[in-house]
Amino acid sequence: MTIRAVVRGVGHYLPERVVANSEFEASLDTSDEWIRSRSGIERRHFAAEGQTTSDLAVRAARAALDDAGLAPDDIDAIILATSTADLTFPSAATMVQAALGMERGFAYDIQAVCAGFVYALANAHGMILSGQARRILVIGAETFSRIMDWTDRSTCVLFGDGAGALVLEAAEGSGDKSDRGILSVDLHSDGRHRDILYVDGGVSTNSTGHLRMQGKEVFRHAVEKLASTADSALDKAGMDHSEVDWIVPHQANLRIIKATAQKLGLSMDNVVVTVQDHGNTSAASIPLALSVGVERGQIREGDVLVTEAIGGGLAWGAVVLRW
């Protein structure tokens, strides 16, 4: 008997305020055409004043629990991937735990920027396989609008706010690639590249700062590393590209998504794309795309998915799972 971490439920939440590209034209030397041509982004959502990352996470968590037909106390743990937690401490995950009325189990945040959800899935996978938990709520949630430099047209037009969540549950499998659930995980980081994508403030330096990015360098690293980690994860799962139904990538930039798919030899018809509607929501982008992909009828039970992401650190990785 093999234990697998199987997706039981999925859900997402987007703030009510939708910001079209045209809204930036009044304050920046930019245009809808400029933003679309360089990123594929058409609009994004911004959290309301006073609306926090944990608020978004709670809404996504409830949607995933409803989809799974479970109550909060059926969950053993919450892992929340975010770089924009409400406070320095306690963790946003414990705030979600309290808001859900969950009085058992444990909760914690994980921070790997845009790769955060992949790292959170890896953590949840390991805990389920070890027997530490049977059901884990895995959430990605961000309010990146709070760390934007609104004078920097190269970054502030790219990001949005949102949250997505999965319920992972232990289930028995046969131990081969026909099983449902997470089939392999591949994680990497390289701190030598920290200066190409970072926030220029923090608790032990000054205060919360603004996001800074060297776009060309990020693009160069992203395509190479995303394709490589996807290949590695497929090798670990004993699969090849022909067995993949969907690539569900971090939704940072449409050009990166297309270049990565091409490098993997996969058609864009096999890629779930939501970046046009959400912008880059960092750790929230993959679970948002998973939830929207299910909602659209693209992702169905039994489909083989590859999720891959890269973020500041640099940190990157991929997960292969059968839905």
Side-chain angles (χ1 to χ4, degrees):
M1 180 190 75
T2 300
I3 296 298
R4 297 291 194 186
V6 174
V7 177
R8 174 78 179 266
V10 63
H12 70 276
Y13 173 74
L14 291 159
E16 290 183 11
R17 184 186 172 197
V18 179
V19 179
N21 290 341
S22 58
E23 285 199 32
F24 293 101
E25 294 174 2
S27 58
L28 295 169
D29 179 18
T30 192
S31 67
D32 174 55
E33 190 279 330
W34 189 90
I35 297 168
R36 286 186 191 222
S37 65
R38 285 158 179 78
S39 68
I41 298 166
E42 301 174 18
R43 64 194 66 83
R44 74 288 291 145
H45 294 248
F46 283 169
E49 185 176 351
Q51 192 175 35
T52 64
T53 294
S54 68
D55 292 333
L56 309 188
V58 169
R59 299 285 287 269
R62 286 178 175 149
L65 288 168
D66 287 347
D67 186 52
L70 296 171
D73 276 340
D74 294 322
I75 301 297
D76 300 312
I78 298 171
I79 304 174
L80 173 54
T82 187
S83 299
T84 52
D86 304 16
L87 303 172
T88 302
F89 66 82
S91 69
T94 57
M95 298 176 187
V96 174
Q97 183 185 30
L100 292 176
M102 178 179 156
E103 298 181 3
R104 57 183 296 276
F106 57 95
Y108 64 92
D109 291 354
I110 191 164
Q111 207 272 60
V113 201
C114 299
F117 192 76
V118 169
Y119 274 61
L121 281 179
N123 268 247
H125 175 246
M127 286 191 171
I128 286 173
L129 265 58
S130 71
Q132 181 71 39
R134 176 168 173 75
R135 293 193 186 104
I136 301 179
L137 189 56
V138 189
I139 308 168
E142 302 282 15
T143 48
F144 258 53
S145 62
R146 304 281 159 73
I147 56 171
M148 289 296 101
D149 176 352
W150 298 111
T151 67
D152 181 2
R153 73 168 187 167
S154 68
T155 58
C156 72
V157 301
L158 302 178
F159 293 87
D161 304 336
L166 296 183
V167 176
L168 286 182
E169 180 180 69
E172 293 184 9
S174 60
D176 60 31
K177 63 184 181 181
S178 68
D179 288 346
R180 288 186 62 213
I182 293 177
L183 302 177
S184 68
V185 173
D186 187 64
L187 299 179
H188 303 270
S189 67
D190 188 341
R192 294 174 298 172
H193 304 297
R194 53 167 285 187
D195 291 335
I196 69 172
L197 179 55
Y198 66 100
V199 169
D200 61 3
V203 178
S204 68
T205 55
N206 301 301
S207 59
T208 302
H210 296 120
L211 183 142
R212 307 297 181 193
M213 180 172 68
Q214 297 176 32
K216 290 181 179 178
E217 281 298 295
V218 171
F219 187 98
R220 182 175 67 83
H221 282 283
V223 175
E224 173 196 345
K225 288 177 169 56
L226 290 174
S228 176
T229 190
D231 279 336
S232 180
L234 284 167
D235 285 345
K236 290 179 180 180
M239 291 182 159
D240 59 39
H241 297 169
S242 67
E243 297 175 86
V244 176
D245 295 295
W246 296 103
I247 298 286
V248 187
H250 168 48
Q251 307 285 320
N253 181 302
L254 186 57
R255 291 189 300 146
I256 292 174
I257 292 170
K258 286 181 175 179
T260 303
Q262 183 177 26
K263 201 169 182 67
L264 290 169
L266 292 167
S267 165
M268 284 298 293
D269 291 338
N270 300 102
V271 183
V272 176
V273 180
T274 59
V275 68
Q276 70 279 0
D277 297 320
H278 305 158
N280 183 343
T281 55
S282 190
S285 79
I286 286 176
L288 267 169
L290 289 168
S291 184
V292 170
V294 170
E295 202 173 65
R296 289 174 180 167
Q298 293 173 296
I299 299 172
R300 302 174 184 273
E301 184 172 323
D303 284 353
V304 174
L305 278 56
V306 179
T307 68
E308 28 89 341
I310 186 169
L314 291 172
W316 66 99
V319 170
V320 175
L321 65 96
R322 187 181 295 278
W323 198 256

